[in-house]
Amino acid sequence: MKVYFDNAATTKLREEVIEVMMEAMNSSYGNPSSSHSFGRTSRALIESSRKEIAKHLNVNPQEIVFTSCGTESNNSILRSAIDFLDVKTIITSKIEHYAILNVVDFLKTKKIRVEYVNIDDDGNIDLEHLRSLAKIDDSKKIISLMYVNNEIGNILDLAEVSQICQENSVLFHTDAVQAIGHFKIDLKQIKIDFLSASAHKFHGPKGVGFSYIRKNVLSEAFILGGQQERGLRAGTEAVHNIVGMSKALSISYNNLEKEFIYIKELKSYFVSKLKSIFPNTFFNGNSDNSIKNSYLIINVALPISSSKIDLLNFQLDLKGIACSKGSACQSGAALGSHVIKNIESKSNWPSLRFSFSSYNTFKEIDYLMETLRSFEKI
Ligand code: PLP
């Protein structure tokens, strides 16, 4: 049996996505910048995809800029804020993805001030501290905080952070890579300047993502070359990937309610089964909180000695079960998760992240639990 519980790392392509991508690859090979009919066909596909994506976020299609991935979106947004918008201070947290943390570290070497907002023991952002950081001086600032944490699933209060930004004239970027396609977001209701998304996290293809860049916020190119993407991001567009991303997003949002209920049930089944095997298990962050946490992610600290975690991972892999280690550095040998290290871990137990999709079944959870039960006896 093969069981995939690593959907926060990447997701399976939906059949319908593969179909539209194949169709685009077969019949729309013209360069979208060419003025002949071949080019126009590709251009039309790109623009209808942009429109479709914009509709789901309730934004203007011109505010969607296609990129190659979430990492590119994060890099280009933060670097553009520094290069073109005179930002001198970045406010972020220590539990962001490395596609933010490493950019921020680099920008520090360019004399950009970086402030890290406090987080509580469960990895929640201290909003009062954030409010005070937004006022620390009169330099131009950007707050960059992820919407859904990729390791512990904590959800940011976007509306509140947006409010703080507006009250203090601070730009707001959210890395929404783990949220887009899984949570409804209306950017007319919540004012955000920049947002990053990645198709492979919502059953779309790898190698494509998009940035939402609020109208009139940015007008200078972050990749120089041709005039693609309103002159902001040069390079011939990956037509098939863009079409696949748009299809994947539409299917995800059209099925959201149904899939949300199903996956949430899977997750609570997982929690109750796991607790019956390891009654002392605890959940990192807000993982087992059904309101303050993503329904897709659970991060568990298992009451086993850290010396046994490699054996457990080996055993899971042998049984065809995929999950993510995401464990704090226990031995000092391997680098552990920076997220787990930065929250107040209530134990020294090793942690594992399981992340679900609508392709998972209750039977798969039973199979995982049987594997854990037999391991527990070792
Ligand atoms: N941001 C978050 C929160 C992520 O989870 C990931 C991927 O794991 C990224 C950014 C990077 O996205 P991509 O793989 O599309 O570069």
Side-chain angles (χ1 to χ4, degrees):
M1 192 160 174
K2 283 286 218 186
V3 178
Y4 188 71
F5 287 140
D6 202 13
N7 291 279
T10 197
T11 51
K12 177 181 155 77
L13 280 165
R14 294 196 201 256
E15 274 307 317
E16 303 91 318
V17 171
I18 298 175
E19 275 165 29
V20 294
M21 289 178 73
M22 292 292 280
E23 173 64 20
M25 283 190 284
N26 275 319
S27 28
S28 309
Y29 53 86
N31 187 319
S33 297
S34 300
S35 56
H36 48 61
S37 64
F38 293 82
R40 291 199 307 275
T41 304
S42 296
R43 168 64 47 211
L45 279 179
I46 291 178
E47 295 316 321
S48 60
S49 302
R50 196 189 309 279
K51 232 167 135 182
E52 185 72 14
I53 291 171
K55 185 187 81 186
H56 291 298
L57 304 186
N58 198 14
V59 300
N60 187 318
Q62 301 312 315
E63 295 174 307
I64 300 296
V65 175
F66 295 126
T67 62
S68 65
C69 59
T71 300
E72 181 189 323
S73 289
N74 284 347
N75 269 256
S76 55
I77 288 167
L78 288 186
R79 295 183 75 164
S80 297
I82 305 302
D83 289 344
F84 309 126
L85 303 178
D86 201 31
V87 164
K88 301 278 186 254
T89 305
I90 300 176
I91 302 168
T92 187
S93 84
K94 292 210 166 139
I95 57 170
E96 300 301 302
H97 191 273
Y98 279 117
I100 291 292
L101 292 176
N102 286 342
V103 185
V104 163
D105 276 349
F106 169 76
L107 292 171
K108 269 191 217 165
T109 67
K110 305 282 170 204
K111 307 268 183 293
I112 295 301
R113 176 174 180 175
V114 177
E115 296 290 340
Y116 297 95
V117 63
N118 294 339
I119 47 177
D120 72 12
D121 292 355
D122 287 323
N124 300 304
I125 300 295
D126 177 342
L127 291 171
E128 279 322 301
H129 186 227
L130 188 67
R131 206 179 295 279
S132 68
L133 289 175
K135 300 181 199 297
I136 38 172
D137 57 25
D138 48 17
S139 68
K140 185 107 187 260
K141 303 179 191 70
I142 187 167
I143 288 181
S144 178
L145 291 173
M146 70 212 306
Y147 186 9
V148 172
N149 186 283
N150 55 304
E151 291 198 30
I152 50 177
N154 285 21
I155 299 174
L156 180 70
D157 186 341
L158 278 188
E160 192 60 32
V161 177
S162 165
Q163 193 63 32
I164 293 173
C165 288
Q166 287 174 68
E167 283 163 11
N168 296 284
S169 304
V170 170
L171 290 165
F172 181 20
H173 165 239
T174 189
D175 172 347
V177 165
Q178 294 289 343
I180 293 297
H182 305 297
F183 292 84
K184 279 239 159 77
I185 178 162
D186 182 338
L187 292 172
K188 288 252 172 7
Q189 294 296 318
I190 300 180
K191 186 175 170 246
I192 291 173
D193 297 291
F194 304 102
L195 174 149
S196 310
S198 180
H200 73 98
K201 306 289 188 180
F202 50 85
H203 305 288
K206 294 171 182 59
V208 66
F210 67 86
S211 299
Y212 159 75
I213 302 180
R214 203 164 60 77
K215 204 170 167 197
N216 299 332
V217 169
L218 187 70
S219 54
E220 264 138 313
F222 53 84
I223 295 192
L224 296 163
Q227 283 308 303
Q228 292 91 348
E229 298 304 293
R230 288 191 298 115
L232 294 177
R233 197 240 184 212
T236 302
E237 301 90 337
V239 184
H240 59 299
N241 273 348
I242 291 170
V243 167
M245 172 162 70
S246 155
K247 184 74 177 175
L249 194 66
S250 287
I251 300 176
S252 288
Y253 278 132
N254 293 340
N255 292 296
L256 189 64
E257 274 85 29
K258 197 173 72 198
E259 294 191 348
F260 170 80
I261 293 169
Y262 177 68
I263 299 169
K264 218 167 139 99
E265 275 172 11
L266 275 180
K267 182 172 162 176
S268 20
Y269 185 67
F270 175 100
V271 170
S272 62
K273 282 273 176 176
L274 188 69
K275 279 183 174 163
S276 72
I277 300 171
F278 297 109
N280 299 332
T281 298
F282 82 81
F283 300 94
N284 292 310
N286 302 327
S287 279
D288 60 339
N289 180 317
S290 59
I291 295 161
K292 289 165 85 182
N293 201 263
S294 169
Y295 58 103
L296 303 152
I297 295 174
I298 188 119
N299 195 308
V300 298
L302 292 173
I304 57 174
S305 86
S306 44
S307 59
K308 272 179 147 187
I309 190 67
D310 285 339
L311 187 61
L312 175 59
N313 277 319
F314 178 72
Q315 188 70 10
L316 290 173
D317 197 24
L318 205 68
K319 293 281 183 182
I321 299 168
C323 64
S324 165
K325 283 186 201 162
S327 57
C329 177
Q330 306 294 330
S331 64
L335 273 181
S337 154
H338 67 285
V339 175
I340 304 296
K341 270 188 269 176
N342 272 291
I343 61 177
E344 196 55 49
S345 194
K346 289 163 210 135
S347 79
N348 275 332
W349 298 330
S351 300
L352 291 177
R353 177 191 70 184
F354 296 86
S355 45
F356 310 108
S357 83
S358 57
Y359 290 107
N360 291 126
T361 62
F362 288 87
K363 243 172 120 181
E364 289 176 343
I365 292 181
D366 287 339
Y367 177 66
L368 165 72
M369 296 303 160
E370 272 164 37
T371 308
L372 290 177
R373 201 187 295 280
S374 51
F375 182 80
E376 200 235 2
K377 293 192 189 119
I378 297 176

